[in-house]
Amino acid sequence: MRYSYLYLLFMLVACAEESPSDDLPLTLPLTTQSDSTRHYYHQGWKEIMDEGHYGPSETTYRQALSFDPDFLLGKATLGRLTLDTTERRRIERELEGAGKDLPKDERDLLGLYTDFVRFTNMRDHSPAAAYDMLSKVLPGGQHLLGQLVHKYPDEVYLKCEYVELINSNHGPEIALDSLAVLTRERHADNPFLMGFKASLLAETGQHEDALATANELATMLDRDDWPKPHAVYADVYFAMDSLQLAKTHADKAVELDYRNLDASRLQTRIDREIERRLKE
């Protein structure tokens, strides 16, 4: 496999990400005086990424903001989750120009999250313009998250979003290689990253390895009441063209949390493909 200069440059940066300076904090400092806000903010990310629980996560972010209504990162994350269009547009207005007094890293991350809220609002009325805007945001977003996961190596959920953006910008093969580097020393057993690895393997045709990784995740979690393992199985089986198995797991994931976007979107794709084949 031949690597482009851009890819080799990325890999050099990624390799350095697991060797932080000893005097750096391991997690991103958050500008809030409330320990409860910090707790619920991180808990919300765990629910989304590791468990696949989008609905409960929204409730958790509301708890975070109940202790500190001015915590802007929490407000931006709620804006990415809420299905209330009026609330989401209000949050976007409140975030515009906010956070000027925040430390640079937190301010930059807030800017990225604000762009994601703006994208969701634009998508409601102008999808083409929204995706055009997003395509311009994603490269800079990848660069920012790459800097942050290097600087704060224990920020696993920033790493999760970082790998997602690598996949969006450069495709599954580079994302897989990057994921291997990023989990070399820590976070290899993170449920989201394991599940994302299984999906990337399936997308690149490595079905046996993808299924083995999905099985490993399900065994490690040992939780049938979380959407995550079912959503991963659905993705892998869909790539393997095992539509009935994919449908079983997608339906289960949506049953456990209809707000799980990955599962619900995949469920729609599976149902359409089954319907198409029945008509042939």
Side-chain angles (χ1 to χ4, degrees), residues 25 27-43 45 61 64 68 70-74 77 102-103 105-107 109-110 113 148 152 155 158:
T27 58
L28 176 69
L30 299 176
T31 305
T32 177
Q33 297 300 314
S34 171
D35 291 336
S36 294
T37 293
R38 290 188 183 88
H39 168 77
Y40 287 116
Y41 178 74
H42 292 300
Q43 177 66 24
W45 277 114
Y61 282 114
D68 183 355
D70 297 320
F71 178 53
L72 294 175
L73 277 183
T77 310
L102 293 177
D105 292 339
E106 189 174 355
R107 184 174 70 248
L109 186 61
L110 176 66
Y113 287 180
L148 294 181
Y152 308 108
E155 287 288 356
L158 291 182

Side-chain angles (χ1 to χ4, degrees), residues 207-221:
H207 296 155
E208 185 175 337
D209 289 341
L211 188 56
T213 303
N215 288 336
E216 182 182 357
L217 173 64
T219 300
M220 182 188 75
L221 292 180

Side-chain angles (χ1 to χ4, degrees), residues 34-254:
S34 171
D35 291 336
S36 294
T37 293
R38 290 188 183 88
H39 168 77
Y40 287 116
Y41 178 74
H42 292 300
Q43 177 66 24
W45 277 114
K46 179 179 184 297
E47 289 167 347
I48 295 172
M49 296 297 198
D50 295 351
E51 302 175 15
H53 277 127
Y54 283 60
S57 179
E58 179 183 338
T59 301
T60 299
Y61 282 114
R62 294 190 188 281
Q63 285 181 290
L65 290 169
S66 73
F67 292 98
D68 183 355
D70 297 320
F71 178 53
L72 294 175
L73 277 183
K75 186 177 293 188
T77 310
L78 176 62
R80 298 171 64 184
L81 280 172
T82 180
L83 299 180
D84 186 330
T85 302
T86 300
E87 179 182 40
R88 192 171 58 244
R89 289 175 178 169
R90 174 181 58 76
I91 288 174
E92 181 186 347
R93 290 194 299 271
E94 291 175 356
L95 294 176
E96 290 292 346
K100 293 179 180 178
D101 295 331
L102 293 177
K104 183 179 185 306
D105 292 339
E106 189 174 355
R107 184 174 70 248
D108 289 346
L109 186 61
L110 176 66
L112 177 62
Y113 287 180
T114 301
D115 283 336
F116 289 155
V117 175
R118 183 180 301 109
F119 161 75
T120 305
N121 285 332
M122 287 179 64
R123 189 176 56 186
D124 288 343
H125 58 82
S126 184
Y131 282 100
D132 181 63
M133 183 274 285
L134 186 65
S135 69
K136 297 173 183 176
V137 167
L138 292 183
Q142 177 187 323
H143 179 71
L144 169 62
L145 291 176
Q147 290 180 319
L148 294 181
V149 300
H150 167 50
K151 190 172 182 179
Y152 308 108
D154 274 1
E155 287 288 356
V156 63
Y157 302 120
L158 291 182
K159 185 177 290 187
C160 293
E161 290 204 292
Y162 179 41
V163 177
E164 286 185 298
L165 293 196
I166 293 171
N167 183 49
S168 296
N169 290 327
H170 304 292
E173 291 181 348
I174 288 181
L176 265 175
D177 287 338
S178 304
L179 182 57
V181 173
L182 292 165
T183 57
R184 185 180 56 203
E185 295 186 10
R186 50 167 63 83
H187 301 144
D189 60 348
N190 172 263
F192 175 87
L193 293 174
M194 287 182 67
F196 200 56
K197 177 182 177 181
S199 296
L200 292 171
L201 287 167
E203 189 176 352
T204 55
Q206 301 175 71
H207 296 155
E208 185 175 337
D209 289 341
L211 188 56
T213 303
N215 288 336
E216 182 182 357
L217 173 64
T219 300
M220 182 188 75
L221 292 180
D222 193 26
R223 295 293 299 262
D224 198 50
D225 58 338
W226 284 5
K228 172 60 68 177
H230 295 288
V232 172
Y233 271 129
D235 203 25
V236 170
Y237 281 126
F238 185 59
M240 296 172 65
D241 203 33
S242 299
L243 293 183
Q244 289 304 323
L245 283 171
K247 178 173 173 55
T248 297
H249 285 287
D251 289 349
K252 182 63 175 178
V254 173

